[in-house]
Each structure stands twice: as structure tokens, then as C-alpha cells.
Amino acid sequence: MCSLKVCVLLVAALAAATAQEAKPTYSTRYDNIDLEEILRSERLLKNYFNCLMETGPCTPDGLELRKILPDALKNKCNACTPKQQAGTERVIRFLIEMHPQEFLKLEKKYDPSGVYRVEYQAEAEKRGIHLPAPLP
């Protein structure tokens, strides 16, 4: 049995090690937004699209998305929570299937050199997501 002082130090060291191992994530403040409502509404979808394209005003959550999108692409969404990863896949799948031209415009803006398309294409195919031909 350890002395109280040694036990406290061990617990503190374990807590510090655990805290260092926990990966940082993007804010979960907007994780409860109803994605399906947005995807069903042409008006809301257009507003988010315009925000991401920087051609229209943004809601606070749209601004947050626009801010983290380049980092999420660059780092394979490593800071995304599981809910954010699932939401990302849902939105990408929807855009490709229902609004491929908007997807391609977003792709051209956020992946102008096509590096992320190459990097993510195999994973998309494994998930049954077939990317449309890129814009010229």
C-alpha cells in the first residue's frame, strides 16, 4: 500500500498522461444542428453553400464550419468528433448525389490543386461514394 503522498502523485501523473493522450477536437457547440433539416431545405442549403463560397452571409455555425474546413481537409478530420465525422459523410454523400455541381464548386474552392480528391478518393469509394468528374 502506498502512502497518501505517493498515491496522490501517482494519480496526478496518471491524470496528466491521460489528458495528454486525449486528442483535441473541434468545438461541439453546433453538433446538435439538424443536418437533415438543412439538407431538405433548398433555402438553408443555399445559405450554407453561399457562406462556404464566401458569396453570402454566414450564421455563426456556418462561420465556424468555414473556419475549420481547411484544417479538417488537411488533417483528415483528426480533430472531428465521431458525430462530426458522420455528419461530414452525410453532407458529402448528399451533395454528390443531389447537388453535384455545388459539390464540385466547393471542391474547386477548398481543393484547387486536387490533392484532397486524390487522398480521399479510395476511402470514398470504399464507402460507396462516387465522386463526380472534377470541374475543368
Side-chain angles (χ1 to χ4, degrees):
M1 183 166 253
C2 61
S3 72
L4 181 59
K5 192 176 199 177
V6 172
C7 285
V8 168
L9 286 174
L10 286 173
V11 169
L14 181 60
T18 303
Q20 289 176 352
E21 291 175 16
K23 75 174 189 174
T25 60
Y26 299 124
S27 172
T28 59
R29 178 179 23 197
Y30 300 110
D31 279 10
N32 292 320
I33 287 177
D34 187 349
L35 286 179
E36 295 306 316
E37 178 185 5
I38 294 167
L39 299 178
R40 283 190 307 264
S41 168
E42 287 294 322
R43 181 186 61 80
L44 290 174
L45 190 60
K46 182 179 179 184
N47 287 345
Y48 277 93
F49 175 79
N50 290 339
C51 169
L52 291 174
M53 294 298 292
E54 298 183 56
T55 59
C58 293
T59 60
D61 54 311
L63 280 173
E64 181 77 12
L65 177 60
R66 191 170 79 191
K67 182 180 101 181
I68 67 170
L69 187 56
D71 182 70
L73 284 168
K74 180 180 176 186
N75 296 304
K76 298 183 179 180
C77 213
N78 282 335
C80 294
T81 65
K83 186 171 186 174
Q84 290 164 346
Q85 289 173 344
T88 298
E89 182 174 340
R90 173 68 181 115
V91 170
I92 290 170
R93 187 179 300 275
F94 176 85
L95 288 174
I96 288 171
E97 291 173 2
M98 305 302 291
H99 299 276
Q101 290 304 307
E102 284 80 1
F103 172 83
L104 291 170
K105 288 174 185 174
L106 288 166
E107 180 183 48
K108 191 163 188 136
K109 177 172 178 57
Y110 290 94
D111 187 20
S113 64
V115 68
Y116 299 128
R117 175 180 275 264
V118 170
E119 189 172 337
Y120 295 122
Q121 189 154 9
E123 182 64 29
E125 292 291 331
K126 275 198 282 188
R127 295 173 185 249
I129 300 171
H130 306 290
L131 299 176
L135 291 174

